[in-house]
Amino acid sequence: MARSVLFICTGNIFRSMTAEFALRRELGTGSAIRVSSAGTAHRPELTVREDVADYLLSLGLNVSSHQRRTLSSDILAAHDVIIAMNSDHQQILQERIQRHVPVFFEAATGSPHDMPDVDDLFPPEDHLSAAAREHVKKTIDLIIAETPELARRLRTSAH
């Protein structure tokens, strides 16, 4: 069974954070599996957007305690299961640690498709547009929907 899981995205304020909190909830308080997240970009000024936090709270995930982290060698070394939220993070990890890690959907369902960020789809001036907000909600919904299967796989894996 996995002992520790690390989710990686760019800023650690949306996708990887959502996966961390969703998996932690799914595993339950008595789980022996530690769950955390980090971002590839060193952007300490980033914070969780209010609409993201509010939507997650409406789904029962209170992320107010989340402190974003920048990925480091120490963080990587402390986890035996590493999951990238998108193929660009997967490539960064391949370069840094010479190890293939799955993207979220690959780890959860076996299907290696990407989970684009708001930055991937919208110019900066449109990050708070209705379409961007809808993308955020759909991404959160997808992560939460696939988390039970990911938890099942992690509990039964030989890691």
Side-chain angles (χ1 to χ4, degrees):
M1 176 178 5
R3 295 180 312 277
S4 60
V5 178
L6 176 67
F7 294 104
I8 305 292
C9 74
T10 305
N12 190 220
I13 56 167
F14 170 36
R15 294 168 294 170
S16 63
M17 175 197 67
T18 298
E20 173 188 351
F21 279 78
L23 182 59
R24 194 178 292 137
R25 177 178 68 184
E26 184 66 30
L27 292 171
T29 55
S31 176
I33 302 173
R34 291 183 304 112
V35 183
S36 64
S37 60
T40 58
H42 182 65
R43 303 268 315 272
E45 75 280 5
L46 293 177
T47 59
V48 179
R49 284 180 14 186
E50 188 175 339
D51 62 317
V52 172
D54 289 347
Y55 188 63
L56 286 165
L57 188 57
S58 77
L59 299 173
L61 294 173
N62 182 346
V63 298
S64 62
S65 65
H66 179 69
Q67 296 290 313
R68 72 153 309 281
R69 299 188 308 163
T70 301
L71 186 62
S72 69
S73 298
D74 290 342
I75 292 171
L76 284 168
H79 296 84
D80 59 325
V81 175
I82 301 167
I83 299 172
M85 298 308 290
N86 206 353
S87 59
D88 54 342
H89 310 116
Q90 189 180 48
Q91 184 177 0
I92 289 169
L93 291 165
Q94 178 71 41
E95 292 167 4
R96 282 195 191 176
I97 62 174
Q98 291 73 51
R99 180 172 143 199
H100 173 79
V101 301
V103 292
F104 180 84
F105 288 117
E106 184 178 5
T109 69
S111 176
H113 61 279
D114 273 349
M115 184 181 309
D117 191 13
V118 173
D119 292 334
D120 298 330
L121 302 174
F122 301 93
E125 64 272 13
D126 291 339
H127 282 183
L128 296 175
S129 67
R133 287 175 188 255
E134 187 60 28
H135 170 73
V136 165
K137 287 180 177 180
K138 284 182 180 180
T139 300
I140 289 169
D141 292 343
L142 283 170
I143 292 169
I144 291 172
E146 298 303 339
T147 297
E149 179 60 18
L150 176 60
R152 186 194 67 73
R153 287 174 176 232
L154 289 167
R155 285 184 188 112
T156 60
S157 71
H159 290 286

